[in-house]
Amino acid sequence: MSNAALAQDYLFIGPLIEARLAAEIAGNVPVERVEQMAQARDAQDLRETVLYVMWGGDRFDGGEAGRAGAGAAQRVWQQWLVWLRVRNAGVADKAARNTVAGPLLSAVHRALAGWMPEGALRTLQRTQGPAPNYQPASGLYPLAFEINLSL
């Protein structure tokens, strides 16, 4: 592995994203790492807004151009998802969740897009992510980011 931080902890970016969001997002919005979306859908959690950071897997560069050292070294893009969960903000306003989510999603984008985490050699870039997930009591709004790392 040519990236020293990656050699020590394959998922080293997660805690850095969590800390960055905690420092950059106004309004005292809690930030937590999760391993699966079921953890973000906890109906018992009554907080109005929460940001969840989740590893979304890897994407590898295809072909020989992305590999070296007989395949021991290669380029990989790690995907990280940031899910904003917003509980129902009001009964009369049908778009209340979107009204709350919009400015927070902009803040997440500003905090992470183009940011270079410590130990990384490249910046996080926005990428295509999953669709939002609306439940009767909450909405989950995803933003996906990729970072090019070298194994």
Side-chain angles (χ1 to χ4, degrees), residues 9 44 49 61 92 97 105 107 115 123 130 136 141 146:
D9 180 354
Q44 305 304 314
T49 56
D61 191 11
R97 288 186 293 198
L105 292 170
W115 170 64
T123 61
Y141 299 82
E146 278 188 338

Side-chain angles (χ1 to χ4, degrees), residues 119-141:
L121 304 174
R122 293 178 183 85
T123 61
L124 282 168
Q125 305 293 318
R126 279 289 300 277
T127 189
Q128 182 69 41
N133 181 298
Y134 298 104
Q135 301 292 319
S138 64
L140 286 167
Y141 299 82

